[in-house]
Amino acid sequence: MITGIFPTICADDVAATRDFYTGLLGFKVIFDSGWYVQLEAPAEPKAQIGIVEREHASVPAAFRNRPAGVLISVEVEDVDAVHARAVEGNLEIPLELRTEDFGQRHFMTVDPSGTLVDIITNIPITGDYSDALPTD
């Protein structure tokens, strides 16, 4: 039986990565040993992110690379408000805020570890994507 699942980000600067998620998205620190931090979403305790020091002995040496081909998606109630905070904080925004027919209003930013973060508010699906919805 699975009791939980969450991404753990390997970071060069654990504190800066922690501050990115707590500042931009309101995550709460539930554990902080310096080399490892566990974060919890403000209204959903099962939505968590771990952050581990990239060079820590608990991370196998062959897997201490910077992230590539991975993104973390975070669903929020008001993507426009989060986007405004990201712009105000001069965060890198490789994908500008936009509305997608596949049911998302979103933008992408990059955390201090180099992980791509997709900030999403779900909206109604439109166009051809409505055919992808299950029928009862």
Side-chain angles (χ1 to χ4, degrees), residues 6 8-9 14 31 37 46-47 53 68 71 90 94 97 99 113 133:
F6 56 89
T8 299
I9 300 163
V14 172
F31 179 83
V37 172
K46 289 193 174 201
E53 186 178 280
L71 64 93
N90 293 315
L97 182 64
T99 299
S113 76
L133 292 171

Side-chain angles (χ1 to χ4, degrees), residues 28-127:
K28 178 175 75 172
V29 176
I30 58 173
F31 179 83
D32 189 340
S33 69
W35 64 270
Y36 181 83
V37 172
Q38 187 75 22
L39 303 175
E40 177 179 278
E44 179 50 63
K46 289 193 174 201
Q48 297 185 359
I49 295 175
I51 304 164
V52 65
E53 186 178 280
R54 185 182 318 283
E55 298 296 323
H56 193 268
S58 65
V59 179
F63 294 89
R64 294 179 182 170
N65 303 320
R66 293 190 54 82
V70 173
L71 64 93
I72 293 177
S73 297
V74 180
E75 293 180 2
V76 298
E77 288 182 9
D78 186 353
V79 69
D80 292 86
V82 177
H83 179 262
R85 287 196 302 275
V87 169
E88 183 178 302
N90 293 315
L91 298 180
E92 180 181 352
I93 300 178
L95 182 74
E96 289 296 330
L97 182 64
R98 61 195 206 183
T99 299
E100 307 281 11
D101 288 345
F102 52 79
Q104 293 181 351
R105 182 157 171 77
H106 70 132
F107 73 98
M108 293 184 190
T109 187
V110 181
D111 78 15
S113 76
T115 302
L116 187 61
V117 183
D118 191 5
I119 311 295
I120 302 164
T121 294
N122 290 316
I123 59 173
I125 294 173
T126 60

Side-chain angles (χ1 to χ4, degrees), residues 17-31:
T17 304
R18 174 200 63 213
D19 294 349
F20 170 89
Y21 288 95
T22 59
L24 182 63
L25 296 164
F27 275 86
K28 178 175 75 172
V29 176
I30 58 173
F31 179 83

